[in-house]
Amino acid sequence: MVRGLFFVLLLIHASSSANGADEKEAPWLTLNGKAPAVVAREGFSGQFPEDTGMAFQMRTYDGMLLLCSVQLTMDNGAVCQPDVEISKSTNVQALHPNMTKTYNVNGKNVSGYFTIDYTMNDLVETMVGVQRIMTRSDAFDGYSIMPFEGESQFKMPLLWINVPYVQFFSEHKMNMEDFIRQVPLTSKHCLSSPEIGFLKAMSDRKLPAGLKLYFAFHGKDAVEPTTKKTYGSIASDLAALKPIVAGIVVPKDYIWPVDKSNYLVAQPTTLVTDAHKLGLEVYASGFANDNVLVYNYSYDPMAEYLNFISNGQFSVDGLITDFPPTATDAISQPLIITRGGAYGVYAPSTDLAYKRAVDDGADVIDCSVQMSQDGVAFCMISPDLTASTTAATIFVDRITDVKEIQEESGIFSFALSWDEIQTLQPQLSTPYEKSTGLKRNPLFRNKGKFVTLAQFLEFARSKSVTGILISLDNAPYLASKGLDLVTTVTAALTKAQYDKKSGPQVFIQSDDTSVLAKFKNFPSYKRILSIKEEISSVNKAAVEEIKKNADGVTLTRYSILPTNPQGFTTVETPIVETLHSANLTVFVSTLNNEYITLAFDYFADPTVEIATYTHTVGVDGFVTEYPKTASRYQRNPCSDINRSYIILPARPGSLLNETRAAPADPPKPALTVQDVVDSPLPEVAKPKDPPSKQKQEASTSSSSAAAGLQSTAPAVAVAVALLCFLTAGHNWGS
C-alpha cells in the first residue's frame, strides 16, 4: 500500500514538473544554447537501489537520460551495476557468504564479489538490488537487477551507456568493445568511458550518425589506464580529446573547487568555458540531494544545481544526478514574463518599470511596440495613451474612434509625433481603480521615462536577461497609415544584433499569424501566437495551423481555468495538454496580485494561483505585472511539492463542488482554423505627406490645441469628464 502510494505521488510530481520542460528553450550558456540535460545516474538511485527495475521506471520527464554502467558477466552477458564489485549494491553477500575474491582493478587490489564470477541469470534471477547509501531508506530493497540488453529491454530511446572497466574485462579475456558493437545504438544514445583507448577504438569505427562519445574523468590524482596519465593532467589538455569525443564528464570539483573548510572557492575554474571554446560539451557528475553540501548552499540542493547552470558565467551541458526531480525543477521552472515591466510598481513600459522588473527576478521583459505618427517605435502596453500617460490632459482634441483596434474612443500613439509623446508623463493606473479604489503605488504614479524600442533592446542586453518578448499588434491598421511595424521591428532587432544566436532569447508575439510568418527567416526567434479570446479547446486542424507559424501560444487565464459567475474555478480545460502534445510552448496571461483578480480557490493569495499554473497546469511561463511575486515563489523552498511544507496549488472545481453557487456558464467556443488564419498583411500605404511635414503639422496642431485649451477651459473640463466616461470600460487585457 505504501509503495503504491509513493509511486502515485511520484508520478504526480513527475508530470507537474515536467510539462513542457524539454520544449521550453530559454537561452542558456550551454554549448548549444539549449537547456542542460538531466541524466539519472543508474536510474533514480537517490530513492531506489541503483540499477533496479524500479529505479529505471521512474522518470521525471520525457527528455531525461537514464545512465547504465555496463558490467560483463562470466557467460558474456551484461548487467547494469555502478561497479564491477557488487557487494554494496546487491544482496550477493547474504547469498554467498565468505566467497569473496581479490582482483587487480586498474592497478589496485580489490576484494569482494565481482560480476565476472556469476552468470547473468545468477545476477538477474537470484540476486536483488539493495540501497548502498546508509542514510537512504532500505524500504525499496528487493527489486530485481536490470540486465543490459539494449533498447529492446529498456524501451527507452534516451539511454546513456557508461563503460567503466574496459581494461579489467580485457585482462579476463572479455572484449567490451565487441560487446558494445552488438548493441543496437541510435543517435539518441550516449556512450561514455573513463578509458581513452576504448573511446578511440569506438570513434575509429562506423557509428550511428549523431551518436556522441564522452570521456568520463575520475579523481584528479587517479591514473587513466590507456595513457597512464593522471586525469588532472588530461584536463589541462582538452584539445587532445577533441578528435575523439563530443564532450567530457567531470566531477563537480573540476568546475567549482571546495576549500578545506567546505566552502566554495571564490571563482570557478575555466574548464567549462575552455571546453566550450573547443566545441566540447561538459556534463557535471556527483550530484545528490543527501550529500553533505558545501556551506554556501545552506543544505539547499536546488541552489547547488543553479550554481552550475545559472551563474551568469557558464552553464554545464548536463547534470548527472541521483535525484533527477530536483535537477529537472532547477531547469524547468516556468518563465516569468512581464507585462509592461514591473507594472504593479511603476507606470508600464517605462525605464523604471523595466529596471525594477529585472531587479525583481523577471526572466523575460516585454515591449509591446507602438508607433508614433512620425515612425518612432517605442514600448507601451496599448496604442491608446489615455490610461498609461497624461495624454487626456493635453491632447483632448486628438480623441478619435478606431474600431479596428478597440471599441472605446482614445488618443492613439500614431496620431501624435514622438516629440509630442515625450511632452507627456507616464501614468500608473489600473482597471480596478475607479470601481474598487485599489490604486498602485501612488507615490510613483508619474515616475519614469518612456522607452524607445532601440533603448529597450540596449537595456535588455546590458542586463543579461534570459529573454525579451516583442509584441506586434495592429500591423494591418498601421500599414494603412503608412507605418511598417514589421520592418521597423525587424530592422531594430538586426541592428542590435539580436538575430545572432548568442544573447537573450527573442520571443516575437502577435495575434496575427501573418505577422508571425514574416519572422520565419529568423530561426533563432521563437514565435508566439497570442490568443486573446476565451476558448475551451483547440481542434486538431487549428493546432496544425498554429504550428505553421508559431512555436507557442499565449492564452488568457480563463481559457485554461475558467470561472463561474460567482468567481470559483470550474474545470481545467484540455488546452494546455493538447498544445504540449503538439510540442507547442504555452504561456498564460495575465497574473496580478490584486485580490479582486483572483478566483476564490486561490484564497486571495496570488502565490497560490502561481503554484496552480506551475504544478497543476504545467504552463511554460506566466505573464505578470508583478514579477517579484512569481520570482519569490520560484525561489521559495516551499514551491517544491516534494517537501513536507509546501505552497499547495488549487484543485480546479474543488471549492465549487462544496458550494451552492450557480453552475458554470456554457463552455467557450473551441479554437478553429478560421480563428487562426489571418489575411496577408496589406501593402504599407505611402504617407500623404513626408514625416517632417507631418511632424510640423502635428506640432502646429498641438500648439493650436494648447491655445484653445487656455481659452476654453470649461469646454475642456466637459471633454475630460466625457473621456473618463468613455474609458471607464477600457480594455486592459485578461
Side-chain angles (χ1 to χ4, degrees), residues 409-466:
S409 300
I411 301 173
F412 295 93
S413 65
F414 44 79
L416 278 69
S417 71
W418 178 239
D419 284 347
E420 288 175 320
I421 292 172
Q422 288 183 292
T423 66
L424 306 174
Q425 286 184 303
Q427 183 166 281
L428 176 57
S429 59
T430 75
Y432 332 115
E433 189 170 328
K434 292 177 182 177
S435 59
T436 66
L438 293 178
K439 297 181 179 180
R440 288 181 175 177
N441 204 3
L443 189 63
F444 296 158
R445 182 175 178 84
N446 300 116
K447 300 293 184 181
K449 297 178 181 179
F450 302 124
V451 177
T452 65
L453 175 59
Q455 291 169 337
F456 171 84
L457 296 176
E458 182 180 0
F459 170 79
R461 190 176 290 280
S462 71
K463 293 299 181 181
S464 298
V465 295
T466 299

Side-chain angles (χ1 to χ4, degrees), residues 82-138:
D83 200 276
V84 70
E85 199 284 305
I86 57 174
S87 62
K88 295 179 181 178
S89 57
T90 73
N91 66 339
V92 61
Q93 197 165 2
L95 296 175
H96 305 284
N98 305 316
M99 292 183 62
T100 62
K101 290 188 177 182
T102 301
Y103 291 109
N104 185 282
V105 181
N106 293 344
K108 294 182 179 180
N109 289 328
V110 179
S111 296
Y113 297 81
F114 297 81
T115 61
I116 61 173
D117 294 320
Y118 301 93
T119 66
M120 190 166 76
N121 187 71
D122 291 335
L123 291 162
V124 174
E125 299 297 333
T126 65
M127 299 181 196
V128 295
V130 299
Q131 182 58 261
R132 65 174 178 149
I133 306 297
M134 298 300 295
T135 56
R136 296 175 181 174
S137 173
D138 62 2

Side-chain angles (χ1 to χ4, degrees), residues 87 343 486 734:
S87 62
Y343 178 12
V486 172
S734 300

Side-chain angles (χ1 to χ4, degrees), residues 676-704:
V676 175
V677 176
D678 291 294
S679 301
L681 292 178
E683 293 292 328
V684 177
K686 293 184 179 180
K688 295 180 180 178
D689 297 300
S692 59
K693 186 174 181 180
Q694 291 181 4
K695 197 170 183 179
Q696 183 179 0
E697 289 176 353
S699 178
T700 302
S701 175
S702 177
S703 300
S704 300

Side-chain angles (χ1 to χ4, degrees), residues 534-604:
E534 290 182 31
I535 57 175
S536 61
S537 61
V538 184
N539 66 39
K540 185 176 180 181
V543 171
E544 294 305 314
E545 191 63 38
I546 291 171
K547 292 181 69 174
K548 292 178 182 178
N549 293 302
D551 304 293
V553 300
T554 297
L555 300 169
T556 69
R557 294 181 300 168
Y558 304 116
S559 290
I560 300 172
L561 297 175
T563 59
N564 75 344
Q566 283 70 41
F568 293 93
T569 61
T570 56
V571 295
E572 179 185 350
T573 67
I575 297 175
V576 173
E577 182 180 359
T578 299
L579 296 172
H580 275 163
S581 65
N583 201 29
L584 288 166
T585 297
V586 180
F587 300 150
V588 59
S589 180
T590 301
L591 307 190
N592 284 322
N593 286 4
E594 285 89 351
Y595 67 89
I596 59 170
T597 69
L598 302 171
F600 287 115
D601 306 66
Y602 307 135
F603 316 125

Side-chain angles (χ1 to χ4, degrees), residues 6 10 13 38-48 58-61 64 131 133 135-137 286-291 293 301-302 304-305 319-331 640 642:
F6 179 83
L10 194 58
H13 172 67
V38 175
V39 184
R41 188 193 66 82
E42 317 298 342
F44 191 169
S45 53
Q47 189 66 51
F48 304 99
M58 306 309 296
R59 306 177 67 192
T60 56
Y61 74 94
M64 188 183 78
Q131 182 58 261
I133 306 297
T135 56
R136 296 175 181 174
S137 173
F287 292 96
N289 295 2
D290 51 4
N291 277 345
L293 301 178
M302 179 75 77
E304 181 180 36
Y305 289 115
L319 302 162
I320 300 179
T321 174
D322 291 10
F323 290 87
T326 312
T328 301
D329 285 345
I331 294 167
D640 181 357
N642 277 330

Side-chain angles (χ1 to χ4, degrees), residues 274-534:
D274 291 344
H276 283 175
K277 289 177 182 176
L278 293 167
L280 291 170
E281 297 176 4
V282 180
Y283 281 70
S285 65
F287 292 96
N289 295 2
D290 51 4
N291 277 345
V292 178
L293 301 178
V294 297
Y295 294 126
N296 305 70
Y297 302 132
S298 300
Y299 301 102
D300 181 1
M302 179 75 77
E304 181 180 36
Y305 289 115
L306 291 172
N307 198 38
F308 283 82
I309 63 175
S310 184
N311 57 44
Q313 300 180 56
F314 61 82
S315 171
V316 297
D317 301 282
L319 302 162
I320 300 179
T321 174
D322 291 10
F323 290 87
T326 312
T328 301
D329 285 345
I331 294 167
S332 64
Q333 288 278 20
L335 290 173
I336 301 171
I337 307 165
T338 65
R339 179 175 183 262
Y343 178 12
V345 183
Y346 289 101
S349 306
T350 57
D351 59 337
L352 295 179
Y354 288 129
K355 289 176 183 176
R356 182 61 177 263
V358 173
D359 292 342
D360 285 351
D363 298 309
V364 179
I365 57 176
D366 72 301
C367 174
S368 293
V369 182
Q370 312 302 336
M371 300 286 287
S372 68
Q373 185 185 59
D374 49 347
V376 176
F378 66 101
C379 303
M380 186 67 67
I381 59 172
S382 170
D384 182 2
L385 305 178
T386 55
S388 300
T389 76
T390 55
T393 64
I394 300 176
F395 296 109
V396 179
D397 60 324
R398 307 290 180 87
I399 297 175
T400 56
D401 290 322
V402 183
K403 298 300 183 182
E404 295 90 338
I405 293 178
Q406 63 184 38
E407 289 299 318
E408 302 84 9
S409 300
I411 301 173
F412 295 93
S413 65
F414 44 79
L416 278 69
S417 71
W418 178 239
D419 284 347
E420 288 175 320
I421 292 172
Q422 288 183 292
T423 66
L424 306 174
Q425 286 184 303
Q427 183 166 281
L428 176 57
S429 59
T430 75
Y432 332 115
E433 189 170 328
K434 292 177 182 177
S435 59
T436 66
L438 293 178
K439 297 181 179 180
R440 288 181 175 177
N441 204 3
L443 189 63
F444 296 158
R445 182 175 178 84
N446 300 116
K447 300 293 184 181
K449 297 178 181 179
F450 302 124
V451 177
T452 65
L453 175 59
Q455 291 169 337
F456 171 84
L457 296 176
E458 182 180 0
F459 170 79
R461 190 176 290 280
S462 71
K463 293 299 181 181
S464 298
V465 295
T466 299
I468 58 173
L469 185 142
I470 308 296
S471 291
L472 295 85
D473 291 328
N474 309 309
Y477 182 82
L478 291 173
S480 72
K481 295 294 182 180
L483 298 171
D484 192 339
L485 179 62
V486 172
T487 299
T488 300
V489 170
T490 302
L493 288 168
T494 301
K495 183 177 181 180
Q497 298 188 333
Y498 276 82
D499 56 331
K500 311 299 182 186
K501 289 186 178 180
S502 60
Q505 175 66 62
V506 176
F507 295 95
I508 300 293
Q509 177 174 273
S510 179
D511 59 359
D512 191 324
T513 52
S514 294
V515 171
L516 297 178
K518 294 291 185 180
F519 290 88
K520 268 190 175 180
N521 294 328
F522 297 89
S524 63
Y525 298 171
K526 299 295 183 184
R527 295 171 293 161
I528 306 296
L529 177 64
S530 175
I531 302 174
K532 298 176 181 179
E533 299 78 15
E534 290 182 31

